[in-house]
Amino acid sequence: MKRINSLVLIMAAIAIIVGGISIVVLYNTAYEVKRQDLIQMAQSQARLIEAIARFDQKYSAKDHPLGAAAATISQVNDAISAYKGFGETGEFVLGNRKADKIIFLLSFRHPTPNKQGRPTEEGARYVPYNSSLAEPMRRALSGQSGTVVGSDYRGEEVLAAHEPIKELGLGIVAKIDLAEIRAPYLKAALIVIGFGLLIIFFGSLLFFRISSLIATQIIKGEETLAATTSELEFQKLALDEHAIVSITDVDGNITYVNDRFCAISGHTRDELIGQNHRILKSGEHDQAFYQDLWQTITSGKTWEGEIKNQKKNGDYYWVRATIVPFLDEQGTPFQYVAIRTDETERLETVTKLAESQIMISAVLENSPSAISVKGLDGLYLIVNKVWNDWFNPTHKEAVGKAVGDFFEPAHVSGIDAQDTEVLESGNAVSTETQTPHSDGTI
């Protein structure tokens, strides 16, 4: 359950983070669009007022008692007074500087300015030039063109574009409350968070129901895996006790050896890991032998055979090896597992037996006596050269034949009687008997 709770918390965090990032991106985009709009409005109004001012200086200087500049301001005031602004809080502000005051020349859209905005004797409103208010207008009057986030004449935080009107020594500001820009995104954020929490709540209920079933299956799977792993460990233990095991990578470099491998080779595990099996090469097998082995396993087939290896101390040993390639999804080997059994003692026994048989055969063949060996069924197993010369001059195959195939019936019973006596007594029996040669002589 701890894992499930962690997953739910992670999902909730991811959902909130993604939603928050999306809203921030949208807000920044809208903020930039609004900033560009304010710049365009401030600059266009500034250029328009400058154009009117130039016209009034040329044609209307005598039409207004206070001069051309006053005529221009009067026309602008009349035009903008009929303009209610943009959005819920956006407006144009026109001002100039007199001594240490910023004088606002247009009517405010917002009817109640803060206490610092108070009437002058000219009927306008002003704020001290060095106060923290009207930052956008202060920049415009100082000849700066651009945008700023700062306090307006009310002390409200606004996004404003400011532009100087050099023809008249004025400044114009197009501004909108930052709260108005943020409002829809804050509302959207609350909606997203609300819906997100609802979705997370109901999703969690569904997730808990489904995950409980999955968890049950996982627990069963883990139990099965544990049992299988335990069984495999026992099998590995049994295999390690019986066999000589090594694992190599696709290049033939050793990546694993068991204790029996180290014991029979005389090398430590550290001496073997990373080495090639050439470290055990005895010189018994030619290059073709190893090429056949390598081609077999690299083609994905299992190789079986006997290999003579050399120990660290120089002694030799024989193993019966089965090398199995492990294949990936494309059928390409990615490692090789070799399982070997020590065949040294068996092969030495076979060799000694073969040598003994050769020696016995030589003794039999060179003996001056006629020697034969029979099975319990009375059939010949071995006959030497003298026996063949005496009783089988044509040297036809004697092995598997009976006494009657080589002797007259009168002599067969006597020979069989001797054989029976030997079998029944279990002792050697020495007798003398007359047996005719194949040429009839006795």
Side-chain angles (χ1 to χ4, degrees), residues 198-217:
L198 286 175
I199 292 171
I200 290 170
F201 175 74
F202 289 108
S204 298
L205 292 178
L206 180 61
F207 181 77
F208 275 115
R209 182 178 294 274
I210 295 173
S211 60
S212 296
L213 297 175
I214 295 174
T216 301
Q217 295 299 320

Side-chain angles (χ1 to χ4, degrees), residues 158-179:
V158 296
L159 171 63
H162 49 84
E163 191 74 17
I165 303 175
K166 296 179 181 179
E167 295 283 340
L168 302 174
L170 306 178
I172 188 169
V173 172
K175 67 182 183 67
I176 188 170
D177 288 4
L178 206 58

